[in-house]
Amino acid sequence: MKRTFLLLVVVAVAGVFWSQQSSSANGTSAKTVTFSKNVAPIFNAKCAECHRPGEGSPFSTLAYKDVRPWARSIREKVTQKTMPPWHADPHYGTWANDRRLTPEEIETIKTWVEQGAPEGNPKDLPPMPKFTEGWTIGKPDIVIPMPEAFTLEASGPDEYQYFEVDPGFKEDVYVQSAEARPDNRKIVHHIIAFIRPPVAATAAAKPRPNLSKEELAALRAKMEKESPVYREGFLVRTKQEAPVCDDGCNDPKGGRLGRADRGSEMENGQLLAGYAPGMNQAVWEPGTVKKIPAGSKILFQMHYSKVAGSVQKDRSSIGLVLAKSEPKKLVHTMGISNNAFLIPAGADNHKVTACWTAQNDIHIINFMPHMHLRGKAVEYKAIYPDGKTEILLNVPNYDFSWQTAYYLKEQKVIPKGTRIMVTGYFDNSTRNKFNPDPTKIVRYGEPTYDEMMIGWMDYTQDNELAKQSVASK
Ligand code: HEC
């Protein structure tokens, strides 16, 4: 009750603030608003990151002639706040990469379009923003491509493909920033690159006992029968009858299925870089670095969507900018995840939780929630050792199209023993227009018609010297 009341007060206060903002902004509408003078600075700062040639958005905002045909659509998207894409509830957390427009900026764009979207005097244009062609992190010191071009067939469902590369690192490598760069944007939906340290690599390659063909077949059949997961083509899915746990935070196994499927192994591996619409590149502050231990392999997880009727090729790459100064802090990446949930057919607000407890004092750098098409909302909450709680990130309207990483403006200090609770809500009803099939019971799996619930998070550990520690899990 009390919480609801508080929320109402907050909303009411925000409402008053909002109307004051917009009425003062209305005062400017008498002036002529031009692209060159008033609008280009906003577009350069808030749109051009994605809306420039080669970035996979439908048009460039850099030049008047390219923007003009989109003016009405721009007004619509900007006033509805669907552009720039941003889904964090402004009441919690302050974000370094907050893309939202201010009420004044929205008003300027709206007025400009309503006045016929005039160009104005090109002499008023701000300097052209500088972007690095190709790589957003700047010229990488090391580029690691997929081992060879992959050929994607013209029909069938989405594919997840894995490619392992040995970059041949003889010493530990300290990475200041990393970027996953799609080669063929028509088919690359997302890329996630993982570091596989030598231990994990050898464990995976453990020699098999010497068995006869029949014994091997029987063993394989038994394992397949007992496993909670199965393969559908290249994709790992959870069996419908596998044990169920929605509330991972109140479960001894934490909402994890016994044998880790490939996906869950990697949630707790080291994420190196990712590419997906709306994802910012991994750029840490100088001295805060990601370590790639000597002898590690790099694993590409590629999610491909097909272009009907056309066979396509792709050879995407990872670019690394190495640390230029002495590494001080190591970046750890945690995927707080539940893979044992079951979403009933038609459920419109199905709740799933996952928890993780900090074993050290840590500083959180960013959050990246990951769900699929039925993902509706997600929240990260800290439960401190003294019992106090704090919402760290709230995404009330999760949208699978945008895999946004939310970078904290100031790193969040979390004491040892704090539980981080991730709560996801799923809409498997007909009201969810992205729902592939509301009649299906949905479980965890790699295809987008299955679901995921992963609360990714980058952090550093306070008591750790970058050069001495080994990459922890
Ligand atoms: C994080 C990347 C990103 C940012 C920042 C961004 N956009 Fe977009 N925008 C896209 C992508 C990708 C699409 C195409 C997919 C879609 O429509 O959802 C798009 C679509 C649009 C469309 C719709 C085009 C159509 O097909 O109708 C408009 C209009 C638009 N953006 C305007 C803007 C404006 C104006 C800004 C800045 C104030 C902006 N966007 C900021 C990535 C971005």
Side-chain angles (χ1 to χ4, degrees), residues 42-43 46-51 55-59 61 70 73-75 77-78 83-85 99 101 109 277-279 401-402:
I42 304 175
F43 285 178
K46 301 274 177 84
C47 319
E49 159 202 350
C50 306
H51 286 270
E55 284 303 309
S57 58
F59 62 98
T61 54
W70 295 92
S73 168
I74 290 172
R75 181 183 61 174
K77 300 276 172 190
V78 160
M83 279 290 148
R99 302 196 186 101
L101 297 171
I109 295 170
M279 198 189 265
S401 318
W402 301 102

Coordinates of all heavy atoms in Angstrom, one line a residue, residues 42-43 46-51 55-59 61 70 73-75 77-78 83-85 99 101 109 277-279 401-402, ligand 1:
I42 N 21.5 18.7 -32.3 CA 20.8 17.6 -31.5 C 21.0 16.3 -32.2 O 21.4 15.3 -31.6 CB 19.3 17.9 -31.4 CG1 19.0 19.3 -30.8 CG2 18.6 16.8 -30.6 CD1 17.5 19.7 -30.8
F43 N 20.8 16.3 -33.5 CA 21.0 15.0 -34.3 C 22.4 14.5 -34.2 O 22.6 13.3 -34.0 CB 20.6 15.2 -35.8 CG 19.2 15.3 -36.0 CD1 18.7 15.6 -37.3 CD2 18.2 15.2 -35.0 CE1 17.3 15.7 -37.6 CE2 16.9 15.3 -35.3 CZ 16.4 15.5 -36.6
K46 N 22.7 13.1 -30.6 CA 21.8 12.0 -30.1 C 21.4 11.0 -31.1 O 20.8 10.0 -30.7 CB 20.5 12.7 -29.5 CG 20.8 13.7 -28.3 CD 20.9 12.9 -27.0 CE 21.2 13.8 -25.8 NZ 20.1 14.5 -25.2
C47 N 21.7 11.2 -32.4 CA 21.2 10.3 -33.4 C 22.3 9.7 -34.2 O 22.2 8.5 -34.6 CB 20.2 11.0 -34.3 SG 19.0 12.1 -33.5
A48 N 23.3 10.5 -34.6 CA 24.3 10.2 -35.6 C 25.1 8.9 -35.2 O 25.6 8.2 -36.1 CB 25.2 11.3 -35.9
E49 N 25.2 8.7 -33.9 CA 25.9 7.5 -33.4 C 25.4 6.2 -34.2 O 26.1 5.4 -34.6 CB 25.6 7.4 -31.9 CG 25.7 6.0 -31.3 CD 24.9 5.9 -30.0 OE1 24.3 6.9 -29.4 OE2 24.8 4.8 -29.5
C50 N 24.1 6.2 -34.5 CA 23.5 5.1 -35.2 C 23.1 5.5 -36.6 O 23.1 4.8 -37.6 CB 22.2 4.6 -34.5 SG 22.5 4.1 -32.8
H51 N 22.6 6.8 -36.7 CA 22.0 7.3 -38.0 C 23.2 7.9 -38.9 O 23.2 9.1 -39.0 CB 20.9 8.2 -37.8 CG 19.6 7.6 -37.4 ND1 18.7 7.1 -38.3 CD2 19.2 7.3 -36.2 CE1 17.7 6.6 -37.6 NE2 17.9 6.6 -36.3
E55 N 25.9 2.1 -40.6 CA 25.5 1.7 -39.3 C 24.2 1.0 -39.2 O 23.7 0.7 -38.1 CB 25.5 2.9 -38.3 CG 26.8 3.4 -37.9 CD 27.7 2.3 -37.2 OE1 27.2 1.7 -36.3 OE2 28.8 2.2 -37.7
G56 N 23.6 0.6 -40.3 CA 22.4 -0.2 -40.3 C 21.1 0.4 -39.8 O 20.2 -0.2 -39.5
S57 N 21.1 1.8 -39.8 CA 19.8 2.5 -39.5 C 19.3 2.9 -40.9 O 20.0 3.1 -41.8 CB 20.0 3.6 -38.6 OG 21.0 4.5 -39.1
P58 N 18.0 3.2 -41.0 CA 17.4 3.5 -42.3 C 17.9 4.8 -43.0 O 17.7 4.9 -44.2 CB 15.9 3.5 -42.0 CG 15.7 3.6 -40.6 CD 17.0 3.1 -39.9
F59 N 18.4 5.8 -42.3 CA 18.8 7.0 -42.9 C 19.9 7.7 -42.1 O 20.0 7.4 -40.9 CB 17.6 7.9 -43.2 CG 17.0 8.4 -41.9 CD1 17.3 9.7 -41.4 CD2 16.0 7.7 -41.3 CE1 16.7 10.1 -40.2 CE2 15.4 8.1 -40.1 CZ 15.7 9.3 -39.6
T61 N 21.5 11.1 -40.4 CA 21.0 12.4 -39.9 C 22.1 13.5 -40.1 O 22.0 14.6 -39.6 CB 20.7 12.4 -38.4 OG1 21.8 11.9 -37.7 CG2 19.4 11.6 -38.1
W70 N 12.5 12.3 -44.1 CA 12.1 11.6 -42.9 C 11.5 12.5 -41.9 O 11.1 12.0 -40.8 CB 13.3 10.9 -42.3 CG 13.8 9.8 -43.2 CD1 14.8 9.9 -44.1 CD2 13.4 8.4 -43.3 NE1 15.0 8.7 -44.8 CE2 14.2 7.8 -44.3 CE3 12.4 7.7 -42.6 CZ2 14.0 6.5 -44.6 CZ3 12.2 6.4 -42.9 CH2 13.0 5.8 -43.9
S73 N 8.2 11.4 -40.0 CA 8.5 10.2 -39.2 C 9.4 10.5 -38.0 O 9.1 10.0 -36.9 CB 9.2 9.2 -40.1 OG 9.7 8.1 -39.4
I74 N 10.3 11.5 -38.2 CA 11.1 11.9 -37.0 C 10.3 12.5 -35.9 O 10.4 12.2 -34.8 CB 12.3 12.9 -37.5 CG1 13.3 12.1 -38.4 CG2 13.0 13.5 -36.3 CD1 14.3 13.0 -39.1
R75 N 9.4 13.4 -36.4 CA 8.5 14.1 -35.3 C 7.8 13.0 -34.6 O 7.7 13.1 -33.3 CB 7.6 15.0 -36.0 CG 6.7 15.7 -34.9 CD 5.7 16.7 -35.5 NE 4.7 15.9 -36.3 CZ 3.6 16.5 -36.9 NH1 3.3 17.8 -36.7 NH2 2.8 15.8 -37.6
K77 N 8.4 9.7 -34.1 CA 9.2 8.9 -33.3 C 9.8 9.6 -32.0 O 9.9 9.0 -31.0 CB 10.4 8.3 -34.0 CG 10.0 7.5 -35.2 CD 9.7 6.1 -34.9 CE 9.1 5.3 -36.1 NZ 8.6 4.1 -35.8
V78 N 10.1 10.9 -32.3 CA 10.7 11.7 -31.2 C 9.6 12.0 -30.1 O 9.9 12.0 -28.9 CB 11.4 12.9 -31.8 CG1 11.6 14.0 -30.8 CG2 12.7 12.4 -32.4
M83 N 12.3 7.0 -30.4 CA 13.7 7.3 -30.8 C 14.1 8.5 -30.0 O 13.4 9.5 -29.9 CB 13.7 7.7 -32.3 CG 13.7 6.5 -33.2 SD 15.3 5.6 -33.1 CE 14.8 3.9 -33.5
P84 N 15.4 8.6 -29.6 CA 16.3 7.5 -29.6 C 15.9 6.3 -28.7 O 15.2 6.6 -27.7 CB 17.6 8.1 -29.0 CG 17.3 9.6 -29.0 CD 15.9 9.8 -28.9
P85 N 16.2 5.1 -29.0 CA 15.8 4.0 -28.2 C 16.4 4.0 -26.8 O 17.6 4.2 -26.6 CB 16.3 2.7 -28.9 CG 17.4 3.3 -29.8 CD 17.1 4.7 -30.1
R99 N 20.4 8.1 -23.6 CA 20.3 8.7 -24.9 C 19.1 9.6 -25.0 O 18.8 10.2 -26.1 CB 20.0 7.6 -26.0 CG 21.1 6.6 -26.1 CD 20.9 5.8 -27.4 NE 21.9 4.7 -27.5 CZ 21.5 3.5 -27.2 NH1 20.3 3.2 -26.9 NH2 22.4 2.5 -27.3
L101 N 16.3 12.4 -25.2 CA 16.3 13.9 -25.5 C 15.7 14.6 -24.3 O 14.8 14.1 -23.6 CB 15.4 14.1 -26.7 CG 15.9 13.4 -28.0 CD1 14.8 13.6 -29.1 CD2 17.2 14.0 -28.5
I109 N 12.7 19.9 -32.1 CA 12.5 19.1 -33.3 C 11.1 19.1 -33.8 O 10.8 19.3 -35.0 CB 12.9 17.6 -33.0 CG1 14.4 17.5 -32.7 CG2 12.5 16.6 -34.1 CD1 14.9 16.2 -32.1
P277 N 21.5 -4.6 -32.0 CA 21.0 -3.2 -32.1 C 20.9 -2.5 -30.8 O 20.4 -3.1 -29.8 CB 19.6 -3.5 -32.7 CG 19.6 -4.8 -33.3 CD 20.6 -5.6 -32.5
G278 N 21.5 -1.3 -30.7 CA 21.4 -0.5 -29.5 C 22.4 -0.8 -28.5 O 22.5 -0.2 -27.4
M279 N 23.3 -1.8 -28.7 CA 24.3 -2.1 -27.7 C 25.5 -1.2 -27.8 O 26.0 -1.0 -28.9 CB 24.8 -3.6 -28.0 CG 25.5 -4.2 -26.8 SD 26.2 -5.8 -27.2 CE 24.9 -6.9 -26.7
S401 N 14.2 -5.8 -29.5 CA 14.9 -5.2 -30.6 C 16.1 -4.4 -30.2 O 17.0 -4.1 -31.0 CB 14.0 -4.2 -31.4 OG 12.7 -4.7 -31.5
W402 N 16.1 -4.0 -28.9 CA 17.2 -3.1 -28.5 C 17.9 -3.8 -27.3 O 17.4 -3.8 -26.2 CB 16.6 -1.8 -28.0 CG 15.9 -1.1 -29.2 CD1 14.6 -1.0 -29.4 CD2 16.5 -0.5 -30.3 NE1 14.3 -0.4 -30.5 CE2 15.5 -0.1 -31.2 CE3 17.9 -0.3 -30.7 CZ2 15.7 0.6 -32.4 CZ3 18.1 0.4 -31.9 CH2 17.0 0.8 -32.7
Ligands
HEC1 C1 21.1 3.3 -30.8 C2 20.9 3.6 -32.2 C3 19.9 4.7 -32.6 C4 19.8 6.0 -32.1 C5 20.7 6.6 -31.0 C6 18.8 6.6 -32.8 N1 18.2 5.7 -33.7 FE1 16.6 6.1 -35.0 N2 16.7 4.1 -35.6 C7 17.7 3.2 -35.3 C8 17.5 2.0 -36.1 C9 18.4 0.8 -36.0 C10 16.3 2.2 -36.8 C11 15.6 1.2 -37.7 C12 14.8 0.1 -36.8 C13 13.6 0.7 -36.2 O1 12.9 1.5 -36.8 O2 13.3 0.3 -35.1 C14 15.8 3.5 -36.5 C15 14.7 4.1 -37.0 C16 14.4 5.5 -36.9 C17 13.2 6.1 -37.5 C18 12.1 5.4 -38.3 C19 12.5 5.2 -39.7 C20 11.4 4.4 -40.4 O3 11.7 3.3 -41.0 O4 10.2 4.8 -40.3 C21 13.3 7.4 -37.2 C22 12.3 8.5 -37.7 C23 14.4 7.6 -36.4 N3 15.1 6.4 -36.2 C24 14.9 8.8 -35.9 C25 15.9 9.0 -34.9 C26 16.2 10.3 -34.4 C27 15.6 11.6 -34.8 C28 17.2 10.0 -33.4 C29 17.9 11.0 -32.5 C30 17.1 12.0 -31.9 C31 17.5 8.6 -33.5 N4 16.6 8.0 -34.4 C32 18.4 7.9 -32.7 C33 18.8 3.4 -34.5 C34 18.9 4.6 -33.7

